[in-house]
Amino acid sequence: MNDRAYMRLALQLAGKGGGWTAPNPMVGAVIVKNERIIGQGWHERYGSPHAERNALAACTEPPQGAVMYVTLEPCCHYGKQPPCTDAILASGIQRVVVGSSDPNPLVAGKGIEILRAHGIEVTEEVLREECEQLNEVFFHYIQTKRPFVVMKYAMTMDGKIAACTGLSKWITGEEARSHVQKQRHRYTAIMAGVGTILADDPMLTCRLPDSRSPIRIVCDTRLRTPLTAQVVADAGQVPTILATCCDVRDRHLAYESAGCRIVVVDEKDGHVDLQQLMERLGDQQIDSILLEGGGTLNWAALQSGIVQRVQAYIAPKLFGGETARTPVEGAGVPSPSDAFCLKNSTVTRLGEDFLIESEVVNDVYRNH
């Protein structure tokens, strides 16, 4: 095996931390000695030992003279855990192969400098693109202090998210719906509009075994969420935030008694100021959001420039209907040249359905 092969194994290990490490990155490490793997580990939970220390602890023989492969530059500062550079130096590791550098200003090349200053050979940027892709949420959050937002919707091939009657269960099949549940586990929070709550009364939880449910965020400009809604009824068990422009304290009390948190933000264009909301959520260490809104909220999110990625689940069905709902509503762009453009699209088949994932070419703060 060569450097790239060992780094691919480290990437696979890192992925096991998905949904558990936020707002920290997912990291995997593999230790090789005499062309044999003697230790491996990953960052398993936020606040727990990092991948490098887990790999060293798992070594089947002394690591002196070995090579460590790690997907992200080792940390060199004290946080929830002590610096990984200290553990590497103490271990006798001879060479460290790094996938991507750490954009955290507390690290940002300093970890590699420390290793080299102590005589350890460092090879950088092995499978860099794959390593950066794995931690796109972390990279975005650490650099902007705002959540990475993924706009997700399921639609038919004629672009409908519901039939003309408003019924939407189910557009996609079981495999696609299971994939959505994995996304709910992966991302820190899930966001919907009050229109979705009123129409569908969803739980917005993750129903997979051995998983975590995301923090629920409801954009509710006028505070119209029913106290009987499922997101309010079990707010004591699943963290729930109501983002609103209503600052009447007496109206907050019943929701707060049920366990909800109220976040009051300014109003913009008739709805909550989404840019301001992202700042507030980022301050609360919410690093990522799965946006499962309707067409109105999706349009507002795009127009506000808060969306980084789009996940479109497409079913081989046709609903028709002039008034049937579509994924993005609002006023719409005035010209094809004003479209919100997407790039780096990938297509995954999920049973009979298809998932198209794309990055948003985002001119932040653009307005139409």
Side-chain angles (χ1 to χ4, degrees):
M1 293 176 69
N2 56 26
D3 285 353
R4 291 170 65 87
Y6 287 123
M7 189 61 75
R8 282 197 182 89
L9 175 56
L11 276 165
Q12 292 173 11
L13 292 169
K16 293 183 177 183
W20 299 113
T21 64
N24 282 350
M26 293 177 279
V27 184
V30 175
I31 299 173
V32 179
K33 186 173 183 179
N34 299 325
E35 299 185 1
R36 291 179 294 104
I37 296 174
I38 64 169
Q40 50 189 328
W42 65 94
H43 184 30
E44 298 176 7
R45 293 285 194 280
Y46 174 69
S48 69
H50 293 178
E52 299 92 325
R53 290 182 178 271
N54 283 335
L56 287 168
C59 279
T60 55
E61 60 182 87
Q64 284 83 0
V67 180
M68 174 180 284
Y69 296 84
V70 61
T71 55
L72 187 70
E73 177 183 3
C75 66
C76 55
H77 64 97
Y78 281 88
K80 294 282 185 181
Q81 295 290 325
C84 288
T85 49
D86 288 357
I88 293 171
L89 294 175
S91 71
I93 291 285
Q94 189 173 47
R95 177 174 172 244
V96 176
V97 181
V98 177
S100 61
S101 58
D102 190 336
N104 187 339
L106 295 174
V107 185
K110 300 182 187 72
I112 290 172
E113 288 178 9
I114 289 171
L115 296 178
R116 284 180 171 149
H118 286 81
I120 294 178
E121 179 186 352
V122 180
T123 302
E124 299 181 65
E125 299 190 352
V126 174
L127 299 185
R128 178 180 62 82
E129 289 186 6
E130 291 91 329
C131 292
E132 289 182 352
Q133 180 66 31
L134 176 74
N135 279 311
E136 62 179 355
V137 166
F138 171 73
F139 276 55
H140 175 83
Y141 179 67
I142 204 71
Q143 292 170 327
T144 67
K145 301 302 181 186
R146 296 183 177 200
F148 184 94
V149 178
V150 179
M151 189 173 79
K152 166 263 169 187
Y153 53 83
M155 71 178 188
T156 60
M157 278 194 174
D158 57 342
K160 306 299 184 181
I161 62 172
C164 62
T165 59
L167 296 176
S168 60
K169 292 183 179 179
W170 294 103
I171 292 176
T172 54
E174 290 185 8
E175 191 169 339
R177 298 202 299 271
S178 176
H179 190 273
V180 170
Q181 294 298 314
K182 293 176 183 176
Q183 304 308 296
R184 289 185 177 186
H185 166 75
R186 174 183 177 185
Y187 295 110
T188 299
I190 185 170
M191 187 163 78
V194 66
T196 297
I197 303 301
L198 292 171
D200 301 331
D201 192 21
M203 292 186 66
L204 301 178
T205 55
C206 179
R207 294 182 286 278
L208 297 175
D210 301 320
S211 65
R212 48 161 292 279
S213 284
I215 298 168
R216 300 180 299 202
I217 303 163
V218 179
C219 292
D220 186 357
T221 307
R222 309 287 175 231
L223 206 54
R224 296 185 295 138
T225 298
L227 290 170
T228 55
Q230 293 191 93
V231 294
V232 176
D234 67 349
Q237 289 73 50
V238 182
T240 302
I241 295 172
L242 300 181
T244 184
C245 302
C246 174
D247 60 0
V248 180
R249 178 63 184 155
D250 288 347
R251 293 191 58 196
H252 297 177
L253 296 178
Y255 295 103
E256 291 174 339
S257 295
C260 296
R261 279 189 287 158
I262 304 291
V263 174
V264 178
V265 295
D266 295 337
E267 184 173 335
K268 183 176 182 180
D269 300 327
H271 55 73
V272 297
D273 186 330
L274 292 172
Q275 285 283 354
Q276 187 181 86
L277 178 59
M278 293 304 107
E279 292 178 6
R280 298 282 296 278
L281 297 176
D283 290 342
Q284 297 180 31
Q285 291 196 317
I286 294 176
D287 66 340
S288 57
I289 295 172
L290 185 63
L291 174 58
E292 292 198 16
T296 301
L297 180 56
N298 286 347
W299 167 252
L302 286 169
Q303 201 175 34
S304 299
I306 67 168
V307 181
Q308 280 69 54
R309 177 174 288 276
V310 173
Q311 292 181 334
Y313 295 82
I314 302 177
K317 300 174 182 177
L318 303 173
F319 281 0
E322 184 178 1
T323 61
R325 293 159 54 198
T326 59
V328 182
E329 297 174 354
V333 299
S335 165
S337 62
D338 294 314
F340 293 89
C341 295
L342 307 176
K343 64 179 182 179
N344 298 333
S345 298
T346 61
V347 181
T348 304
R349 184 159 187 168
L350 299 168
E352 293 298 313
D353 306 311
F354 298 90
L355 168 63
I356 301 179
E357 294 187 85
S358 307
E359 298 173 26
V360 179
V361 181
N362 215 341
D363 297 328
V364 179
Y365 307 112
R366 72 180 277 181
N367 286 295
H368 290 283

